[in-house]
mmCIF file of all heavy atoms in Angstrom:
data_model
loop_
_atom_site.group_PDB
_atom_site.id
_atom_site.type_symbol
_atom_site.label_atom_id
_atom_site.label_comp_id
_atom_site.label_asym_id
_atom_site.label_seq_id
_atom_site.Cartn_x
_atom_site.Cartn_y
_atom_site.Cartn_z
ATOM 1 N N LEU O 23 0.639 -8.226 -2.146
ATOM 2 C CA LEU O 23 -0.084 -9.092 -1.220
ATOM 3 C C LEU O 23 0.952 -9.891 -0.447
ATOM 4 O O LEU O 23 1.808 -10.561 -1.037
ATOM 5 C CB LEU O 23 -1.026 -10.038 -1.958
ATOM 6 C CG LEU O 23 -1.881 -10.958 -1.062
ATOM 7 C CD1 LEU O 23 -2.806 -10.138 -0.169
ATOM 8 C CD2 LEU O 23 -2.697 -11.924 -1.913
ATOM 9 N N TYR O 24 0.871 -9.804 0.881
ATOM 10 C CA TYR O 24 1.870 -10.424 1.754
ATOM 11 C C TYR O 24 1.136 -11.100 2.897
ATOM 12 O O TYR O 24 0.129 -10.591 3.399
ATOM 13 C CB TYR O 24 2.800 -9.341 2.298
ATOM 14 C CG TYR O 24 3.967 -9.818 3.130
ATOM 15 C CD1 TYR O 24 5.113 -10.328 2.527
ATOM 16 C CD2 TYR O 24 3.937 -9.728 4.514
ATOM 17 C CE1 TYR O 24 6.205 -10.731 3.278
ATOM 18 C CE2 TYR O 24 5.019 -10.121 5.281
ATOM 19 C CZ TYR O 24 6.156 -10.636 4.661
ATOM 20 O OH TYR O 24 7.223 -11.029 5.415
ATOM 21 N N GLY O 25 1.612 -12.257 3.313
ATOM 22 C CA GLY O 25 0.956 -12.940 4.428
ATOM 23 C C GLY O 25 1.640 -14.253 4.751
ATOM 24 O O GLY O 25 2.665 -14.615 4.174
ATOM 25 N N GLY O 26 1.051 -14.949 5.743
ATOM 26 C CA GLY O 26 1.632 -16.221 6.155
ATOM 27 C C GLY O 26 1.203 -16.612 7.546
ATOM 28 O O GLY O 26 0.008 -16.614 7.872
ATOM 29 N N SER O 27 2.174 -16.921 8.390
ATOM 30 C CA SER O 27 1.910 -17.426 9.732
ATOM 31 C C SER O 27 1.089 -16.437 10.559
ATOM 32 O O SER O 27 1.002 -15.254 10.244
ATOM 33 C CB SER O 27 3.233 -17.721 10.443
ATOM 34 O OG SER O 27 3.969 -18.719 9.776
ATOM 35 N N HIS O 28 0.510 -16.966 11.654
ATOM 36 C CA HIS O 28 -0.310 -16.185 12.583
ATOM 37 C C HIS O 28 -1.534 -15.588 11.888
ATOM 38 O O HIS O 28 -2.061 -14.558 12.322
ATOM 39 C CB HIS O 28 0.502 -15.071 13.244
ATOM 40 C CG HIS O 28 1.850 -15.486 13.739
ATOM 41 N ND1 HIS O 28 2.014 -16.504 14.666
ATOM 42 C CD2 HIS O 28 3.095 -15.045 13.431
ATOM 43 C CE1 HIS O 28 3.313 -16.655 14.900
ATOM 44 N NE2 HIS O 28 3.984 -15.794 14.164
ATOM 45 N N GLY O 29 -1.990 -16.244 10.804
ATOM 46 C CA GLY O 29 -3.169 -15.765 10.095
ATOM 47 C C GLY O 29 -2.979 -14.427 9.424
ATOM 48 O O GLY O 29 -3.941 -13.681 9.217
ATOM 49 N N SER O 30 -1.730 -14.106 9.053
ATOM 50 C CA SER O 30 -1.424 -12.778 8.520
ATOM 51 C C SER O 30 -1.843 -12.632 7.069
ATOM 52 O O SER O 30 -1.592 -13.511 6.241
ATOM 53 C CB SER O 30 0.081 -12.494 8.626
ATOM 54 O OG SER O 30 0.502 -12.493 9.967
ATOM 55 N N ILE O 31 -2.463 -11.507 6.757
ATOM 56 C CA ILE O 31 -2.720 -11.113 5.382
ATOM 57 C C ILE O 31 -2.589 -9.600 5.310
ATOM 58 O O ILE O 31 -3.112 -8.871 6.158
ATOM 59 C CB ILE O 31 -4.102 -11.587 4.888
ATOM 60 C CG1 ILE O 31 -4.275 -11.203 3.415
ATOM 61 C CG2 ILE O 31 -5.231 -11.035 5.758
ATOM 62 C CD1 ILE O 31 -5.465 -11.867 2.749
ATOM 63 N N ASN O 32 -1.842 -9.117 4.305
ATOM 64 C CA ASN O 32 -1.483 -7.704 4.254
ATOM 65 C C ASN O 32 -1.474 -7.215 2.805
ATOM 66 O O ASN O 32 -0.425 -7.158 2.178
ATOM 67 C CB ASN O 32 -0.122 -7.511 4.918
ATOM 68 C CG ASN O 32 0.344 -6.074 4.995
ATOM 69 O OD1 ASN O 32 1.499 -5.807 5.252
ATOM 70 N ND2 ASN O 32 -0.547 -5.118 4.774
ATOM 71 N N PRO O 33 -2.633 -6.832 2.254
ATOM 72 C CA PRO O 33 -2.643 -6.208 0.926
ATOM 73 C C PRO O 33 -2.241 -4.743 1.032
ATOM 74 O O PRO O 33 -2.529 -4.076 2.042
ATOM 75 C CB PRO O 33 -4.100 -6.362 0.485
ATOM 76 C CG PRO O 33 -4.881 -6.410 1.758
ATOM 77 C CD PRO O 33 -3.989 -7.062 2.787
ATOM 78 N N SER O 34 -1.589 -4.227 -0.001
ATOM 79 C CA SER O 34 -1.140 -2.836 0.028
ATOM 80 C C SER O 34 -0.958 -2.311 -1.384
ATOM 81 O O SER O 34 -0.915 -3.080 -2.356
ATOM 82 C CB SER O 34 0.173 -2.709 0.797
ATOM 83 O OG SER O 34 1.207 -3.428 0.134
ATOM 84 N N PHE O 35 -0.847 -0.981 -1.491
ATOM 85 C CA PHE O 35 -0.568 -0.355 -2.775
ATOM 86 C C PHE O 35 0.153 0.969 -2.534
ATOM 87 O O PHE O 35 0.074 1.564 -1.455
ATOM 88 C CB PHE O 35 -1.863 -0.090 -3.559
ATOM 89 C CG PHE O 35 -2.622 1.122 -3.071
ATOM 90 C CD1 PHE O 35 -2.436 2.368 -3.654
ATOM 91 C CD2 PHE O 35 -3.505 1.014 -2.008
ATOM 92 C CE1 PHE O 35 -3.116 3.485 -3.192
ATOM 93 C CE2 PHE O 35 -4.196 2.125 -1.544
ATOM 94 C CZ PHE O 35 -4.000 3.363 -2.137
ATOM 95 N N ASP O 36 0.860 1.442 -3.532
ATOM 96 C CA ASP O 36 1.373 2.809 -3.555
ATOM 97 C C ASP O 36 1.488 3.254 -5.001
ATOM 98 O O ASP O 36 1.684 2.436 -5.913
ATOM 99 C CB ASP O 36 2.707 2.934 -2.820
ATOM 100 C CG ASP O 36 3.813 2.119 -3.453
ATOM 101 O OD1 ASP O 36 4.308 2.498 -4.533
ATOM 102 O OD2 ASP O 36 4.188 1.082 -2.868
ATOM 103 N N TYR O 37 1.327 4.556 -5.218
ATOM 104 C CA TYR O 37 1.371 5.076 -6.581
ATOM 105 C C TYR O 37 1.785 6.535 -6.540
ATOM 106 O O TYR O 37 1.337 7.299 -5.682
ATOM 107 C CB TYR O 37 0.014 4.949 -7.275
ATOM 108 C CG TYR O 37 0.067 5.264 -8.755
ATOM 109 C CD1 TYR O 37 0.475 4.293 -9.668
ATOM 110 C CD2 TYR O 37 -0.256 6.530 -9.232
ATOM 111 C CE1 TYR O 37 0.556 4.576 -11.023
ATOM 112 C CE2 TYR O 37 -0.178 6.827 -10.576
ATOM 113 C CZ TYR O 37 0.233 5.843 -11.470
ATOM 114 O OH TYR O 37 0.325 6.128 -12.816
ATOM 115 N N GLY O 38 2.637 6.922 -7.467
ATOM 116 C CA GLY O 38 3.074 8.301 -7.559
ATOM 117 C C GLY O 38 3.206 8.749 -8.993
ATOM 118 O O GLY O 38 3.390 7.935 -9.907
ATOM 119 N N GLY O 39 3.121 10.052 -9.201
ATOM 120 C CA GLY O 39 3.255 10.589 -10.538
ATOM 121 C C GLY O 39 3.354 12.093 -10.505
ATOM 122 O O GLY O 39 3.436 12.719 -9.442
ATOM 123 N N SER O 40 3.335 12.703 -11.677
ATOM 124 C CA SER O 40 3.409 14.155 -11.769
ATOM 125 C C SER O 40 2.638 14.617 -12.988
ATOM 126 O O SER O 40 2.451 13.872 -13.959
ATOM 127 C CB SER O 40 4.862 14.619 -11.849
ATOM 128 O OG SER O 40 5.489 14.108 -13.009
ATOM 129 N N SER O 41 2.185 15.852 -12.891
ATOM 130 C CA SER O 41 1.487 16.488 -14.002
ATOM 131 C C SER O 41 1.905 17.948 -14.020
ATOM 132 O O SER O 41 1.539 18.718 -13.121
ATOM 133 C CB SER O 41 -0.033 16.365 -13.827
ATOM 134 O OG SER O 41 -0.716 17.060 -14.864
ATOM 135 N N GLY O 42 2.733 18.308 -14.994
ATOM 136 C CA GLY O 42 3.249 19.662 -15.031
ATOM 137 C C GLY O 42 4.109 19.946 -13.821
ATOM 138 O O GLY O 42 5.071 19.216 -13.529
ATOM 139 N N ASP O 43 3.757 20.962 -13.068
ATOM 140 C CA ASP O 43 4.522 21.351 -11.888
ATOM 141 C C ASP O 43 4.007 20.703 -10.608
ATOM 142 O O ASP O 43 4.456 21.055 -9.516
ATOM 143 C CB ASP O 43 4.469 22.875 -11.710
ATOM 144 C CG ASP O 43 5.132 23.611 -12.870
ATOM 145 O OD1 ASP O 43 6.053 23.034 -13.473
ATOM 146 O OD2 ASP O 43 4.720 24.750 -13.169
ATOM 147 N N THR O 44 3.073 19.780 -10.730
ATOM 148 C CA THR O 44 2.449 19.154 -9.566
ATOM 149 C C THR O 44 2.849 17.686 -9.468
ATOM 150 O O THR O 44 2.804 16.952 -10.465
ATOM 151 C CB THR O 44 0.917 19.269 -9.647
ATOM 152 O OG1 THR O 44 0.558 20.647 -9.723
ATOM 153 C CG2 THR O 44 0.259 18.646 -8.423
ATOM 154 N N ASN O 45 3.257 17.277 -8.276
ATOM 155 C CA ASN O 45 3.675 15.898 -8.027
ATOM 156 C C ASN O 45 2.808 15.309 -6.919
ATOM 157 O O ASN O 45 2.369 16.029 -6.017
ATOM 158 C CB ASN O 45 5.139 15.862 -7.594
ATOM 159 C CG ASN O 45 6.020 16.697 -8.487
ATOM 160 O OD1 ASN O 45 6.117 16.444 -9.678
ATOM 161 N ND2 ASN O 45 6.652 17.725 -7.915
ATOM 162 N N TYR O 46 2.603 14.008 -6.956
ATOM 163 C CA TYR O 46 1.738 13.385 -5.963
ATOM 164 C C TYR O 46 2.201 11.963 -5.671
ATOM 165 O O TYR O 46 2.870 11.308 -6.488
ATOM 166 C CB TYR O 46 0.282 13.369 -6.442
ATOM 167 C CG TYR O 46 0.068 12.623 -7.745
ATOM 168 C CD1 TYR O 46 -0.193 11.249 -7.763
ATOM 169 C CD2 TYR O 46 0.161 13.300 -8.966
ATOM 170 C CE1 TYR O 46 -0.366 10.567 -8.956
ATOM 171 C CE2 TYR O 46 -0.002 12.623 -10.167
ATOM 172 C CZ TYR O 46 -0.272 11.254 -10.160
ATOM 173 O OH TYR O 46 -0.423 10.574 -11.341
ATOM 174 N N PHE O 47 1.826 11.496 -4.470
ATOM 175 C CA PHE O 47 2.108 10.121 -4.062
ATOM 176 C C PHE O 47 1.029 9.690 -3.081
ATOM 177 O O PHE O 47 0.654 10.458 -2.183
ATOM 178 C CB PHE O 47 3.486 10.013 -3.392
ATOM 179 C CG PHE O 47 3.766 8.655 -2.814
ATOM 180 C CD1 PHE O 47 4.195 7.621 -3.624
ATOM 181 C CD2 PHE O 47 3.564 8.409 -1.460
ATOM 182 C CE1 PHE O 47 4.426 6.354 -3.089
ATOM 183 C CE2 PHE O 47 3.796 7.158 -0.924
ATOM 184 C CZ PHE O 47 4.228 6.126 -1.745
ATOM 185 N N VAL O 48 0.524 8.464 -3.242
ATOM 186 C CA VAL O 48 -0.482 7.922 -2.325
ATOM 187 C C VAL O 48 -0.095 6.490 -1.972
ATOM 188 O O VAL O 48 0.550 5.783 -2.762
ATOM 189 C CB VAL O 48 -1.905 7.944 -2.925
ATOM 190 C CG1 VAL O 48 -2.383 9.370 -3.138
ATOM 191 C CG2 VAL O 48 -1.946 7.163 -4.238
ATOM 192 N N SER O 49 -0.476 6.060 -0.781
ATOM 193 C CA SER O 49 -0.243 4.675 -0.375
ATOM 194 C C SER O 49 -1.330 4.254 0.594
ATOM 195 O O SER O 49 -1.982 5.088 1.246
ATOM 196 C CB SER O 49 1.137 4.506 0.281
ATOM 197 O OG SER O 49 1.182 5.161 1.536
ATOM 198 N N GLY O 50 -1.527 2.956 0.688
ATOM 199 C CA GLY O 50 -2.514 2.421 1.623
ATOM 200 C C GLY O 50 -2.256 0.951 1.871
ATOM 201 O O GLY O 50 -1.682 0.250 1.029
ATOM 202 N N ASP O 51 -2.651 0.479 3.040
ATOM 203 C CA ASP O 51 -2.516 -0.946 3.325
ATOM 204 C C ASP O 51 -3.518 -1.360 4.388
ATOM 205 O O ASP O 51 -4.021 -0.539 5.164
ATOM 206 C CB ASP O 51 -1.088 -1.298 3.752
ATOM 207 C CG ASP O 51 -0.683 -0.659 5.060
ATOM 208 O OD1 ASP O 51 -0.977 -1.244 6.111
ATOM 209 O OD2 ASP O 51 -0.055 0.416 5.028
ATOM 210 N N PHE O 52 -3.800 -2.648 4.407
ATOM 211 C CA PHE O 52 -4.670 -3.253 5.409
ATOM 212 C C PHE O 52 -3.946 -4.464 5.973
ATOM 213 O O PHE O 52 -3.275 -5.201 5.234
ATOM 214 C CB PHE O 52 -6.001 -3.693 4.794
ATOM 215 C CG PHE O 52 -6.863 -4.475 5.747
ATOM 216 C CD1 PHE O 52 -7.618 -3.830 6.714
ATOM 217 C CD2 PHE O 52 -6.898 -5.863 5.687
ATOM 218 C CE1 PHE O 52 -8.405 -4.552 7.609
ATOM 219 C CE2 PHE O 52 -7.690 -6.592 6.580
ATOM 220 C CZ PHE O 52 -8.435 -5.932 7.536
ATOM 221 N N LYS O 53 -4.060 -4.646 7.272
ATOM 222 C CA LYS O 53 -3.357 -5.753 7.914
ATOM 223 C C LYS O 53 -4.303 -6.491 8.850
ATOM 224 O O LYS O 53 -4.997 -5.873 9.667
ATOM 225 C CB LYS O 53 -2.147 -5.237 8.694
ATOM 226 C CG LYS O 53 -1.360 -6.317 9.426
ATOM 227 C CD LYS O 53 -0.122 -5.742 10.096
ATOM 228 C CE LYS O 53 0.863 -5.253 9.062
ATOM 229 N NZ LYS O 53 2.126 -4.765 9.671
ATOM 230 N N HIS O 54 -4.319 -7.809 8.724
ATOM 231 C CA HIS O 54 -5.051 -8.669 9.668
ATOM 232 C C HIS O 54 -4.127 -9.795 10.091
ATOM 233 O O HIS O 54 -3.436 -10.394 9.264
ATOM 234 C CB HIS O 54 -6.303 -9.268 9.024
ATOM 235 C CG HIS O 54 -6.934 -10.344 9.880
ATOM 236 N ND1 HIS O 54 -7.857 -10.060 10.867
ATOM 237 C CD2 HIS O 54 -6.748 -11.696 9.923
ATOM 238 C CE1 HIS O 54 -8.209 -11.189 11.471
ATOM 239 N NE2 HIS O 54 -7.547 -12.187 10.920
ATOM 240 N N ASN O 55 -4.090 -10.080 11.394
ATOM 241 C CA ASN O 55 -3.403 -11.275 11.867
ATOM 242 C C ASN O 55 -3.903 -11.654 13.246
ATOM 243 O O ASN O 55 -4.698 -10.935 13.863
ATOM 244 C CB ASN O 55 -1.873 -11.101 11.839
ATOM 245 C CG ASN O 55 -1.378 -10.034 12.785
ATOM 246 O OD1 ASN O 55 -1.651 -10.064 13.977
ATOM 247 N ND2 ASN O 55 -0.628 -9.071 12.250
#
């Protein structure tokens, strides 16, 4: 969670992992200011 001046707010996430021979990564964020 990041934010501050100019009414900024920026929640975000990312996650990665693997299962056997398969690997994955996901990310997302929202920004308002």
